[in-house]
Amino acid sequence: DVLDRAYTEILCGSLKLRKYDARKVLRTCPNLLTTRGSSSAEEVIHILSSLHVSPASLSRDKASLPILLSRSPAALFRLIAFLSGDGVRMPVDRIGPFLRRSECATLLDRVAPIPRGGSGDGEEEEGVPSMESLLNSAQEGVEAEIGRTYKQMYRTAIFLREEVGIDDVGKVIRTTPDILMTDVEQRIIPFFDFLCDDLGIDEEDVPKIIESYPALLVTELEEMKEVWEYLLGLGVCVESCASIFRAFPSLLALDIEGDMMPVVEFLRSIGVTNIGRFITRLPPVLGYSVENELRPKWEFLKNVCQYASFEVRRFPAYFSYPLDRVIMNRYEYLREIKGIPVRLLPVDDILRFGDADFSKSVAKDLNGAAYS
């Protein structure tokens, strides 16, 4: 009966899994083959369904499904109440999709760990604790740790709202769940001081930075300082750092060796000597892929522009335009449709206008709408 309930009713029925997938889930989640385990799994499905998570979306991630079905319904309900409560204030209809995301696994492990089970007859030898007493003691330790985690998460959420000034804490948490487990004194306050004292960013801009790129709150502070120092070493002015990182905070999370150095080497190889000035004019370039973005655009420009190196130094934003949809389309329109020589045309004249203005001012279309 228990097997039929788990296999037929829950996995194949409620979750509509194929028979092969259902058997695979049972192999990785044997707890479903117990009366308590199958009842618990049904409650988990019911809770998530009431939060607008469809069976199809639940069963989509088959790798994490056994773990999710093994979690305590009571622990999940407690987390839901916390997320919708006064601290985080996450809308209830957003909580279900949030909980099923893979990024939420660490949070769930902290506050809704997989219940431990045991076996034994409950008897204990003199002076030797029974398995049951050991499990009970361990469970008490787990519950105490969960309680401490909730206290820390509540304090973090309140600090972000009342001290940092983030109005929609729930939105930030949905983007980066691990923020809830970030320590205020050890991580958030030092991060705040780094932005304001070292980078020179105004306090009122910090909430906007966190809201635009929440992952910074879980990025190692030392790594962000290394990125800042690397940019200074490239010749970026100290005075420019505030505006650069305020507009493009994700740069602070880039890997120097993996992301930035290949870009710098590429820029030098095409004749850019003042790297600091180039980066100041186009900060996101440090996160562009050399092989997938920069090099293809450079190879194309060399074929259509006589002074390609000069043009990209004069107009770094060239690398920010889509190659197929904008750059190639406009050059081909001028050459093939309008018969206009393009090799000596300034690159910024071709790219910086919107479609209508390009058609009128550069392509010289009479009605200004032929290209668009």
Side-chain angles (χ1 to χ4, degrees):
D1 290 343
V2 175
L3 174 62
D4 183 65
R5 181 183 184 185
Y7 179 76
T8 306
E9 296 181 15
I10 298 176
L11 298 179
C12 295
S14 299
L15 296 179
K16 297 179 173 58
L17 289 176
R18 296 177 302 177
K19 293 181 178 180
Y20 169 80
D21 292 324
R23 288 194 293 268
K24 190 174 181 180
V25 170
L26 283 178
R27 285 196 297 269
T28 55
C29 187
N31 189 50
L32 280 173
L33 296 177
T34 66
T35 302
R36 177 180 296 180
S38 59
S39 298
S40 177
E42 281 186 320
E43 289 185 55
V44 169
I45 295 171
H46 176 73
I47 289 173
L48 293 174
S49 297
S50 67
L51 295 173
H52 310 288
V53 178
S54 67
S57 63
L58 264 180
S59 58
R60 192 174 298 128
D61 187 359
K62 298 175 180 61
S64 63
L65 182 60
I67 297 176
L68 183 61
L69 294 180
S70 298
R71 297 197 186 276
S72 163
L76 283 179
F77 188 81
R78 181 181 181 183
L79 177 59
I80 293 166
F82 172 81
L83 293 172
S84 61
D86 184 58
V88 179
R89 301 179 186 176
M90 188 181 294
V92 175
D93 60 347
R94 302 292 183 90
I95 294 178
F98 168 74
L99 292 179
R100 62 168 295 273
R101 291 175 53 206
S102 59
E103 295 86 351
C104 200
T106 303
L107 172 61
L108 286 168
D109 287 342
R110 290 284 296 274
V111 299
I114 305 300
R116 294 180 179 180
S119 61
D121 55 12
E123 298 180 359
E124 52 182 287
E125 300 176 14
E126 185 177 354
V128 179
S130 68
M131 179 62 69
E132 182 179 358
S133 64
L134 288 174
L135 289 173
N136 289 338
S137 178
Q139 185 61 31
E140 289 175 3
V142 170
E143 291 297 331
E145 180 61 29
I146 291 174
R148 287 190 291 269
T149 298
Y150 271 109
K151 288 181 180 179
Q152 177 185 309
M153 293 194 303
Y154 181 78
R155 185 164 183 268
T156 298
I158 294 299
F159 185 86
L160 289 174
R161 175 178 296 106
E162 297 182 357
E163 301 297 330
V164 178
I166 298 175
D167 293 327
D168 194 347
V169 173
K171 183 178 180 181
V172 172
I173 300 303
R174 289 200 305 274
T175 304
T176 312
D178 287 354
I179 289 175
L180 265 180
M181 295 169 287
T182 302
D183 186 86
V184 171
E185 281 80 14
Q186 295 182 12
R187 296 294 296 272
I188 299 180
I189 292 178
F191 169 73
F192 192 97
D193 292 341
F194 168 66
L195 293 185
C196 299
D197 298 341
D198 294 341
L199 300 185
I201 294 173
D202 293 334
E203 288 187 12
E204 56 266 25
D205 290 326
V206 174
K208 300 175 186 176
I209 291 173
I210 294 175
E211 289 169 345
S212 65
Y213 199 73
L216 287 182
L217 284 177
V218 294
T219 302
E220 291 296 331
L221 185 58
E222 287 304 315
E223 294 177 1
M224 290 189 280
K225 289 183 177 180
E226 290 174 3
V227 167
W228 172 50
E229 292 168 357
Y230 180 68
L231 263 62
L232 294 178
L234 292 174
V236 176
C237 298
V238 175
E239 295 77 13
S240 301
C241 288
S243 59
I244 288 175
F245 291 120
R246 181 172 56 246
F248 306 100
S250 62
L251 294 180
L252 285 168
L254 290 179
D255 179 74
I256 294 176
E257 292 186 4
D259 299 319
M260 295 184 170
M261 285 184 175
V263 172
V264 172
E265 292 174 5
F266 169 80
L267 293 177
R268 286 175 175 154
S269 73
I270 66 173
V272 178
T273 54
N274 194 336
I275 300 294
R277 183 172 183 270
F278 194 98
I279 291 173
T280 301
R281 297 179 64 190
L282 185 66
V285 72
L286 289 170
Y288 293 172
S289 166
V290 172
E291 298 304 321
N292 297 330
E293 297 180 84
L294 298 178
R295 197 178 304 282
K297 293 176 183 178
W298 170 247
E299 294 298 330
F300 175 82
L301 189 64
K302 286 196 302 181
N303 292 327
V304 297
C305 179
Q306 186 167 348
Y307 304 106
S309 181
F310 171 78
E311 286 294 330
V312 294
R313 294 197 304 271
R314 190 176 68 88
F315 186 59
Y318 165 77
F319 287 113
S320 67
Y321 289 89
L323 178 58
D324 295 335
R325 185 168 55 86
V326 177
I327 297 175
M328 293 179 65
N329 273 351
R330 292 195 175 186
Y331 272 97
E332 290 174 2
Y333 182 74
L334 292 176
R335 286 190 307 180
E336 307 298 332
I337 306 300
K338 304 300 295 184
I340 298 175
V342 297
R343 291 190 62 81
L344 295 177
L345 282 180
V347 172
D348 60 329
D349 284 355
I350 297 175
L351 298 178
R352 62 189 171 92
F353 295 108
D355 286 346
D357 288 336
F358 164 79
S359 178
K360 181 177 180 181
S361 302
V362 183
K364 306 301 181 183
D365 293 323
L366 295 179
N367 60 5
Y371 173 76
S372 57

